[in-house]
Amino acid sequence: MQVERYERYWMWAATGMLVLFTGAIVATALAGSVHPPSHVETVDPETLTVTGEFVSPGVMTAPDGRITVVMRAEFYVFRPTVVRIPAGRPVRFRITSPDVLHGFQIVGTNVNLTVAPGYVSEVTTTFDTPGEYLVVCNEYCGLAHHLMQGTVIVEAAP
Ligand SMILES: [Cu+2]
């Protein structure tokens, strides 16, 4: 089969771009520690404010020292609004929504979850740098979406 010279050049150029762009996606995912979604756990959004772990959200420390932050993202607030956790220890965030789709992004970190009603979003992270971190909702959820924010205060270990 005879392929024209310029057609061959364009085929190689297209193949090169495919390799380049796929490589860019893989490289940025590795550099930014981006993980594909892997945690599927369901919860009834209609009863989660009445029964279960999401009734009283907050920071829980298990007898073995593991820290879990249970949160609700709902019309236009994160509960609890302010979370205090220690630096240098793994912290597991478990968060869900009783109403619509919300986002949970801790600015300046790689924590960025989609919070969908009916599902529990979970991430475990360790804060090495003490300080105050802004939490924002990054999924448009309604008229006061821009007011929906919270704070994670990371305290230095004593
Ligand atoms: Cu929002």
Side-chain angles (χ1 to χ4, degrees):
M1 186 176 75
Q2 180 66 35
V3 179
E4 295 292 327
R5 186 185 343 152
Y6 288 115
E7 194 175 353
R8 206 167 43 239
Y9 291 164
W10 282 110
M11 285 163 60
W12 278 113
T15 305
M17 283 191 280
L18 274 177
V19 171
L20 181 75
F21 296 149
T22 305
I25 291 170
V26 171
T28 52
L30 292 175
S33 299
V34 176
H35 303 288
S38 59
H39 180 86
V40 177
E41 182 183 343
T42 55
V43 65
D44 185 351
E46 290 184 358
T47 60
L48 66 87
T49 56
V50 184
T51 178
E53 68 178 306
F54 293 99
V55 171
S56 43
V59 182
M60 331 284 177
T61 306
D64 63 3
R66 283 183 305 151
I67 301 167
T68 302
V69 182
V70 174
M71 296 186 79
R72 294 200 314 253
E74 53 197 46
F75 281 133
Y76 308 114
V77 69
F78 292 103
R79 295 191 195 282
T81 306
V82 178
V83 171
R84 283 177 187 278
I85 49 174
R89 288 174 60 185
V91 177
R92 185 167 63 133
F93 287 88
R94 289 174 55 75
I95 181 164
T96 191
S97 163
D99 40 53
V100 299
L101 192 73
H102 295 281
F104 178 78
Q105 180 176 8
I106 305 179
V107 178
T109 72
N110 66 348
V111 175
N112 186 359
L113 300 172
T114 297
V115 184
Y119 293 91
V120 178
S121 295
E122 187 175 310
V123 67
T124 301
T125 190
T126 302
F127 292 86
D128 294 323
T129 312
E132 220 175 281
Y133 294 79
L134 175 68
V135 178
V136 295
C137 172
N138 56 14
E139 297 279 357
Y140 182 75
C141 55
L143 284 177
H145 159 70
H146 60 290
L147 300 175
M148 186 169 173
Q149 52 182 252
T151 309
V152 170
I153 298 175
V154 179
E155 296 170 325

